[in-house]
Amino acid sequence: MEWKTWLATAARLGLAAVWLIAGGLKVGDLAASGRAVNAYQIFPYDVARVIGAAQPFLEIALGLLLLAGLAVRLSAGISAALLIVFIAGIVSAWTRGLQIDCGCFSTGGELGAGASPAYGWDIARDVGFLLLAGFLLWWPRTRYSVDGKLMGDGL
């Protein structure tokens, strides 16, 4: 199933780019990342601040693991779980009428006057990323990966 291996490689590298970009854009301002989590109004402020400070590092770690092709199935599983949490958070904000930027690829937070949230787009995008993670859960064998070298499968 050569085509599945190539498709999985593209999915792995694509998801790696997503996590590295998302985490990289947030890691420089952890306080803003905490405020973005707090904007969802799900956790107490102190808890949201800790989650916001840890999230960019988790995203970068997942990106690096996927980029290297190390623990692909585990990284895909954690990615899928994280994306489900993100989608649930966006749906929660939407149904409660919050006017926030999701903070997925930015510092997020409350939207300015006259700005409208893009919840439908945010959910669709994250579902697409979830499909990538799901494919990697099902088919974690990829080309140019540490896993392939460790398993000796010649990929």
Side-chain angles (χ1 to χ4, degrees), residues 63-125:
L64 291 173
L65 285 169
L66 288 165
L67 184 64
L70 180 61
V72 172
R73 182 170 273 154
L74 175 63
S75 300
I78 294 169
S79 294
L82 198 55
L83 287 160
I84 290 168
V85 168
F86 291 168
I87 292 166
I90 295 167
V91 168
S92 171
W94 197 357
T95 59
R96 291 181 292 133
L98 299 179
Q99 299 292 307
I100 62 172
D101 177 323
C102 76
C104 303
F105 292 94
S106 66
T107 53
E110 299 276 333
L111 289 175
S116 298
Y119 295 133
W121 161 248
D122 293 337
I123 291 168
R125 179 200 58 222

Side-chain angles (χ1 to χ4, degrees), residues 12 62 65-66 69-80 133-142 147:
R12 175 176 61 86
L62 285 171
L65 285 169
L66 288 165
L70 180 61
V72 172
R73 182 170 273 154
L74 175 63
S75 300
I78 294 169
S79 294
F135 185 77
L136 288 171
L137 277 167
W138 175 64
W139 192 268
R141 293 184 61 209
T142 61
D147 283 354

Side-chain angles (χ1 to χ4, degrees), residues 34-42 48 93 96 98 100-101 108-110:
R35 287 190 299 275
V37 173
N38 189 58
Y40 284 87
Q41 300 175 16
I42 296 172
R96 291 181 292 133
L98 299 179
I100 62 172
D101 177 323
E110 299 276 333

Side-chain angles (χ1 to χ4, degrees), residues 13-83:
L13 295 175
L15 199 53
V18 166
W19 289 130
L20 289 170
I21 292 167
L25 290 172
K26 289 180 255 192
V27 77
D29 191 350
L30 298 179
S33 185
R35 287 190 299 275
V37 173
N38 189 58
Y40 284 87
Q41 300 175 16
I42 296 172
F43 302 104
Y45 178 72
D46 289 336
V47 173
R49 195 172 61 168
V50 170
I51 292 169
Q55 181 181 334
F57 295 102
L58 175 59
E59 292 171 344
I60 290 169
L62 285 171
L64 291 173
L65 285 169
L66 288 165
L67 184 64
L70 180 61
V72 172
R73 182 170 273 154
L74 175 63
S75 300
I78 294 169
S79 294
L82 198 55
L83 287 160

